[in-house]
Amino acid sequence: MGLNDSSPGAMRNGRGLSDQWAESVMVRPRTTERHITVHKRLVLGFALSILTLIIVTAVAVVLSVRYEECGARDGGPEVGTRGSGGSARLNGSRDRTGDRGDEEMQPWRTSRLPGTLRPRHYDLRLAVYMDNFTFSGDISIEIECVNATRFIVLHADRLEVVRVSVTAEGSGRLANKPGGGVMRIHRHFAFPLNLMYVVVLHRELKPMRLYRLNISFDAAIEDELLGFFRSSYTLQRERRYLAVTQFSPIHARKAFPCFDEPIYKATFSLTLRHDPQYLSLSNMPVESSVLSEEDGWVTNHFSRTPRMSTYYLAWAVCNFTYKETQTDSGVTIRLYARPDAISSGAGDYALHITKRLLGFYQDYFQVQYSLPKLDLLAVPKHPYAAMENWGLNVFVEQKILLDAEVSSSSYQMELTMVVVHEICHQWFGDLVTPVWWEDVWLKEGFAHFFEYVGTDFLFPKWNMEKQRFLTDVLHEVMLLDGLSSSHPISQDVQQATDIDRVFDWIAYKKGAALIRMLANVMGQPLFQKGLNDYLLSHMYSNAARDDLWKKLTQAMRSEGRDIDIGEMMDRWTLQMGYPVITISKNQTKQLPMHYITVSQQHFLYGQDTRHNNHSLQWQVPLTVVVGNASMVSREQLIWINNKTETHRIDTMHGNTWLLGNINQTGYFRVNYDLQNWRLLIQQLHSNPQMISVGNRAGLIDDAFNLARAGYLPQNIPLLLIGYLPEESSFLPWHAASRVLYQLDKLLDRTDEYNLFSDYVLKQVASRYHQMGWPNPGSGNEGNVLQASYQTEELQRELIMLACSFGNKQCHRQAVAYISDWISSNKNRIPPNIRDIVYCTGVSLMDEDVWEFIWMKFHSSGAVSEKKILLEALTCSDNTFLLNRLLNLSLTSDLVPEQDVIDVIIHVCRNPQGRELAWKYFREKWDILNARYGEALFMNSRLIGGVTEFLNTEKELNELKEFIQTSGVGAGPALPRALEIVEGNVRWHRLHRRHFYQWLRKPQASAFNG
């Protein structure tokens, strides 16, 4: 729509001038005939002048319309245009020549902001209307001109712009020049294709000068999980609402016009006006609060923030209550949540560990926390587990509220690690931000790595970094990174639609694994020294991976170690995948026995794709030891730089085994010649303690995955886990459980499945009976804070394996627990195994038990309990109940929105529900994609979870058809899913028959076949 322009030149166009001339003609009085003749001549001259002016004006208007069409093409209708476009262009000819070239460039058509302007400060004022879920805003952005331009291009999405003005700052601070005043706006419009808003000025902004862009706008508080969105909860049967922001990665533009790229750091002053029944929060403390005498509304002015990226700005409007504590250095920590959650003490645990974690990170990084306060906000729904907004961390309730009476140790561990992760981001992310999204792993990889380091600080006996990191990070991400559809950890990002796809497990888990490998190469003191220098050099600013490599290299060289970290790590960050290192003892006469041959090859699950990629090489820090029944040598580091190398190992003899990648600190798999595999298996069977617990877990994971990919005979991993009855540590059992689970889902619908399940139960039985079950009603005795954590986790792992694979005694115990609960209405099931018992009971018992669990799900107030009750409902063998659950989850508000994905995934993991969930997913794809598609991480999890265990030719063809007909907009998740399903089908075709043949042999422990 057009806007009135009140400037003096507005009436100086053709139409205005002709009207003035006509007026002068019409008011002249009659004269003598001679004068009339002269007058006629004048009139004819005037008429010709008028005709000429009309023609010129018409041509100008046509050209202007053509330009307007060109400017708005692909961008939809123009929004909030101010002034008459035609009149503005015809006002003065001196600017016309230069304008045409600038306008033809149209910088809003590129996916990135042009870089000609830089924001310095945002003054944002918002009025929030919770009664109709709308808000209005006024923003004033102080911008610095870097390069001369007439275009102000910034981001805006779904905002209705009301007014725009631009002024030159009167002091001209940067250039120390006088000036200032209103800048005339030619036009301004939205360009939705790139989620941008464009202000075109009459005259150029000058370099080194400051300007102020003022925009007034209106918008909706969306009922989705991005931007400024609303949520609700029920308290004493009353529905209450709240509104909160989620701006990462590109959704600040949904809440206010801004330069929404990480490099454009600025300071922010925020003012929130709202109904006084609510309180408001933001990154900084409230500086002043004013209660209006007119309408009774409250206006909160928040302190100015440090320089930060737009996606870390945050605010919330809610009627929560809080508890608080304070660090020794004076930082106030508050946890805000539903009033009933606060009064029950559900937030106390997170508040307690946050206080300790701020001190830990300040000591580790030797950099102080930068803000005067840190708020933790627990919201009912959120697209992610949490978001690290500086000073206002937002968590979904399940990841921060803890009921110690009913929460399992695994739930408490998960909650702990989420808090540790977000607090780390206050340094890696908030304080120092990646320049661009291609290096998002610089913050997410570090935060994920420190989940384990920080948790070890809180609870040293958990030993997370040396143990659970292996199974939960390293082994898990290697499954994804072994696919040909994987990608480098640093990947090219151009379009806004590409940004969400970088937030995947490659960025988080591979990033963490590479950082751990690097920390072990450098050693802890030098690693900390390098990180400290990196943070101090780039605080309140941005950094790229080369900035990190430079500081770590300097730290190494300060101690005389000449290793170029950048040269080493670029191989790992700029190439996809990882190598399999094959170590062979010398079998030739040319070299003595104590030499080994080491080769590297890109590990891929698909044998057909493996032959097409021989060019990738890595600089591999390979650590090795040799040993036998009575001794293990000292660790030796070998750098592998070529495809094949020969190295001397002095302590190696004919009867010694060799072991690579000690404690699995490296990001690669290790394969051996078959003779060495035989010696390692013999060692595990005779005395497993001679091999470290981390390497026992690593051998299990490597063996199963090497076999699955065709690098190793199928019987090797089955022979290896034959030692498990001798295994007394949790970690190898956990590694075995994970790989057996993968096999279980490949085989659970085959006719000979019992051969596999019986073999697993044979390995589990003796240790399961030895460990037994925890005492009924143990309550807090099973709490993760106790020193017996590792023992409790082993007991839980064995019960899960026994019940999952059909141990009759395990089934009877689970049924007895459920029956006692129903009859007494008192839940005596130990919290640490409730999820296993609930699921087993639902799968074995009748429909009444399902209804009982459904009722308990709705009546429970503990978020951890609700989560496992909901998952238990997916364990039923009754497809009618499973279908009912699927429909209820998507079409009603009985299931929280963020839990719908988990319901569909868990039904698909149930062999009785897999076909049902797969069909349901395809039928409801349009609804699911509309709801979760923009939060691509959620969408990817849904697609991966539903498809990962499809393994028949029929299901593969259905997936291909689905991708062709409906797969637009799903990002890389569908190509990855297709490769996984193709691999599943290929494994059945190539290996299933041999696998079952070996299991049928009467003495399966013999090394043969």
Side-chain angles (χ1 to χ4, degrees), residues 794-866:
L794 174 59
Q795 185 182 57
R796 170 186 159 78
E797 200 76 50
L798 291 165
I799 292 171
M800 185 175 68
L801 283 166
C803 280
S804 298
F805 284 95
N807 181 284
K808 301 300 182 187
Q809 192 276 337
C810 191
H811 284 180
R812 285 194 297 271
Q813 182 67 58
V815 168
Y817 267 130
I818 295 289
S819 300
D820 174 69
W821 185 16
I822 294 172
S823 62
S824 67
N825 202 29
K826 184 174 182 181
N827 192 342
R828 299 183 178 90
I829 306 168
N832 209 33
I833 56 168
R834 283 187 179 180
D835 57 336
I836 304 168
V837 172
Y838 293 173
C839 182
T840 304
V842 167
S843 70
L844 295 174
M845 302 171 79
D846 59 22
E847 186 174 339
D848 290 342
V849 172
W850 194 94
E851 296 289 355
F852 175 79
I853 297 293
W854 175 251
M855 178 191 69
K856 290 296 184 183
F857 165 69
H858 287 292
S859 62
S860 175
V863 290
S864 61
E865 183 76 353
K866 289 181 79 73

Side-chain angles (χ1 to χ4, degrees), residues 1-16:
M1 76 186 196
L3 270 189
N4 295 326
D5 189 340
S6 59
S7 60
M11 292 301 295
R12 295 178 187 170
N13 57 16
R15 176 64 184 270

Side-chain angles (χ1 to χ4, degrees), residues 267-521:
T267 55
F268 296 82
S269 295
L270 176 67
T271 300
L272 290 175
R273 182 174 178 272
H274 53 80
D275 190 303
Q277 68 174 296
Y278 296 95
L279 60 84
S280 54
L281 305 170
S282 187
N283 307 77
M284 299 296 286
V286 174
E287 192 171 63
S288 66
S289 186
V290 178
L291 196 64
S292 170
E293 294 182 358
E294 295 179 4
D295 57 13
W297 275 35
V298 66
T299 301
N300 285 332
H301 302 273
F302 295 89
S303 299
R304 188 181 184 122
T305 71
R307 290 185 74 243
M308 64 184 193
S309 300
T310 47
Y311 72 92
Y312 282 134
L313 184 66
W315 63 81
V317 177
C318 59
N319 45 23
F320 286 174
T321 54
Y322 67 87
K323 282 189 178 179
E324 77 173 40
T325 186
Q326 197 167 59
T327 67
D328 294 338
S329 58
V331 176
T332 300
I333 305 169
R334 289 179 175 176
L335 189 141
Y336 289 83
R338 293 178 281 110
D340 53 331
I342 292 296
S343 61
S344 71
D348 294 357
Y349 173 73
L351 194 63
H352 167 72
I353 63 172
T354 298
K355 178 179 177 179
R356 295 184 61 200
L357 285 167
L358 278 182
F360 164 72
Y361 283 124
Q362 288 180 152
D363 290 342
Y364 191 101
F365 299 138
Q366 290 295 295
V367 177
Q368 292 296 300
Y369 175 70
S370 303
L371 305 186
K373 63 95 173 174
L374 174 58
D375 293 334
L376 313 176
L377 177 65
V379 296
K381 67 176 184 178
H382 196 266
Y384 309 108
M387 177 62 202
E388 69 271 14
N389 312 304
W390 210 354
L392 178 56
N393 289 188
V394 181
F395 297 78
V396 69
E397 288 181 338
Q398 293 176 356
K399 304 301 182 184
I400 195 168
L401 299 182
L402 179 75
D403 186 333
E405 293 295 325
V406 299
S407 297
S408 67
S409 59
S410 57
Y411 179 86
Q412 190 169 357
M413 182 188 75
E414 183 181 359
L415 183 154
T416 301
M417 296 178 76
V418 171
V419 175
V420 174
H421 181 107
E422 302 310 321
I423 305 305
C424 178
H425 271 315
Q426 309 305 296
W427 284 264
F428 282 90
D430 297 351
L431 184 65
V432 178
T433 310
V435 169
W436 183 237
W437 299 108
E438 63 191 4
D439 281 332
V440 73
W441 70 271
L442 275 180
K443 70 185 188 76
E444 297 301 346
F446 270 100
H448 203 56
F449 170 67
F450 275 100
E451 283 181 33
Y452 295 83
V453 178
T455 303
D456 275 344
F457 162 76
L458 293 172
F459 306 110
K461 292 184 179 179
W462 291 12
N463 208 11
M464 298 292 289
E465 188 267 325
K466 287 184 169 57
Q467 294 202 17
R468 284 299 285 259
F469 187 95
L470 304 185
T471 51
D472 298 2
V473 179
L474 185 65
H475 298 172
E476 184 168 333
V477 73
M478 280 183 156
L479 288 171
L480 288 177
D481 209 19
L483 301 172
S484 62
S485 57
S486 185
H487 59 80
I489 194 172
S490 293
Q491 50 182 327
D492 188 40
V493 177
Q494 293 296 333
Q495 304 297 326
T497 51
D498 294 334
I499 293 171
D500 268 315
R501 67 181 169 84
V502 304
F503 288 85
D504 63 4
W505 284 142
I506 300 295
Y508 283 67
K509 293 183 181 289
K510 182 175 181 177
L514 294 181
I515 290 164
R516 179 174 177 265
M517 178 173 72
L518 184 55
N520 277 277
V521 168

Side-chain angles (χ1 to χ4, degrees), residues 897-929:
E897 189 171 340
Q898 68 267 19
D899 292 335
V900 173
I901 287 176
D902 288 326
V903 169
I904 300 172
I905 290 173
H906 279 83
V907 171
C908 206
R909 289 175 180 173
N910 180 345
Q912 305 304 318
R914 192 166 305 152
E915 187 175 341
L916 175 69
W918 169 228
K919 183 171 182 282
Y920 185 84
F921 166 80
R922 286 174 288 153
E923 290 175 349
K924 305 297 182 183
W925 168 250
D926 289 340
I927 297 172
L928 292 164
N929 196 39

